[in-house]
Amino acid sequence: MPETVSPLGLLLDVDGPIASPDTRTIATPSIITDLITLAGANVPIGFITGRSAQFISEQVVAPLVAAGLPREMRMYGVCEKGAVWFPITDSGMGEVVIDASVALPDPVVSRIRELVATDYADTMFFDETKLAMVSVEQRTDVDRAAYHAAQALFEDAAYTIMIDHGLGVRFGDRVSPDAEGAVPFRIDTTIISTDIESVDLDKDHAAKRALAFFAEGGPLPRLWRSVGDSRSDYLMADHLHAAGYEVAHVDVRPADGILERPYPVIVEGDLIHDEAGAAFLGYWVQKLGLG
């Protein structure tokens, strides 16, 4: 690994800024080439996502490897918002580690899987690739408005299932503690999915894990950018700011509401989702003199 300290570090959400929320793939070719260029310049790149390791392997790592990742780089994946993690090398994903302590009980997972199959299979599917959290996702052949209507009903039913199994759960403004008064799980709504997860999982937790990995490979840059399309993605920058780094967050879906933060929040003009992500990466390739 080069001894020089990189001028930049990146923590990237995947759905939205990197992968299209419509195709669920990296649909903009420049994203692949720019990530490879930045990695080759010793920019630490962390993919901080709620997606599964299998999804990242197939939709992110495989195309990067096929296009030619550099041998010397620092690239890392933290999936399921911190429950699953692995290094990424020029030959692919390294060992996948799972934090089983944050997983939902098997009977609840089975009941939610059954609920999707019997009542909601026409609009969504149960993500069988998740290893700790539960995710139920919009079918790509279903209109977004139709999915959102079904999603609201599904989430109400899932909330009831968790209460029936004695789990403490938070869902929006609703809170139902368990028998000991604890609320260890939450239901989190996104534009293309519903995540049911431990409250110990989130993007700040995942960012901390990625930084620890990068530090093992050499000095960390002082300047960082985090990129995401949901309000929870700001937590990546929150962690970096609290840790004393110079950081700005790039919001690729600002229409959902730009949050007030003690660090800069950047938008890419009128661009959103992966078009904004592509513009952001292209900017830094040029700014660092790599293009």
Side-chain angles (χ1 to χ4, degrees):
M1 184 66 61
E3 292 298 324
T4 56
V5 180
S6 169
L8 174 70
L10 297 176
L11 296 182
L12 308 173
D13 179 32
V14 173
D15 276 321
I18 302 300
S20 163
D22 295 321
T23 67
R24 322 285 165 83
T25 64
I26 299 181
T28 306
S30 67
I31 289 177
I32 293 289
T33 55
D34 287 346
L35 285 171
I36 290 172
T37 298
L38 292 165
N42 194 31
V43 173
I45 299 174
F47 298 107
I48 311 298
T49 178
R51 283 289 189 179
S52 68
Q54 181 176 322
F55 179 92
I56 298 303
S57 174
E58 295 173 354
Q59 301 300 337
V60 179
V61 178
L64 286 171
V65 170
L69 280 171
R71 183 175 297 275
E72 291 190 348
M73 64 173 186
R74 285 185 282 182
M75 187 174 284
Y76 200 61
V78 185
C79 293
E80 303 190 35
K81 302 179 185 176
V84 178
W85 57 92
F86 48 86
I88 301 170
T89 71
D90 62 322
S91 59
M93 284 172 52
E95 179 186 3
V96 176
V97 181
I98 306 165
D99 182 0
S101 71
V102 296
L104 272 78
D106 287 341
V108 175
V109 175
S110 296
R111 182 66 190 92
I112 293 171
R113 180 189 288 110
E114 179 185 353
L115 173 68
V116 174
T118 57
D119 293 2
Y120 296 97
D122 58 335
T123 55
M124 60 189 76
F125 65 92
F126 185 93
D127 185 349
E128 296 288 357
T129 69
K130 292 296 177 74
L131 301 173
M133 61 192 285
V134 165
S135 291
V136 177
E137 186 172 335
Q138 176 192 351
R139 285 174 41 164
T140 56
D141 61 343
V142 172
D143 174 80
R144 188 66 51 79
Y147 166 70
H148 284 164
Q151 182 185 33
L153 298 174
F154 162 75
E155 289 176 342
D156 281 338
Y159 182 70
T160 299
I161 286 171
M162 296 184 74
I163 293 172
D164 290 345
H165 281 79
L167 298 182
V169 58
R170 178 183 301 274
F171 174 38
D173 294 333
R174 288 181 274 177
V175 180
S176 177
D178 63 20
E180 298 178 353
V183 185
F185 296 101
R186 65 169 168 251
I187 298 174
D188 185 35
T189 305
T190 83
I191 63 167
I192 60 170
S193 70
T194 297
D195 296 330
I196 305 173
E197 62 204 16
S198 166
V199 296
D200 291 333
L201 299 178
D202 224 324
K203 293 296 183 78
D204 49 353
H205 175 81
K208 181 178 180 181
R209 187 172 297 283
L211 288 180
F213 170 80
F214 292 143
E216 294 174 2
L220 296 178
R222 299 305 308 166
L223 178 68
W224 287 81
R225 293 290 183 267
S226 60
V227 188
D229 71 337
S230 68
R231 304 319 89 190
S232 63
D233 288 319
Y234 282 71
L235 291 170
M236 296 185 285
D238 289 351
H239 176 76
L240 287 161
H241 178 75
Y245 294 98
E246 181 183 345
V247 63
H249 180 68
V250 183
D251 190 334
V252 303
R253 198 170 72 232
D256 282 2
I258 296 176
L259 302 183
E260 290 290 334
R261 285 295 188 268
Y263 48 77
V265 177
I266 298 169
V267 298
E268 294 289 342
D270 294 330
L271 299 176
I272 62 170
H273 298 148
D274 49 328
E275 290 186 358
F280 165 79
L281 293 173
Y283 167 84
W284 276 101
V285 167
Q286 295 301 316
K287 184 175 178 64
L288 297 178
L290 305 173

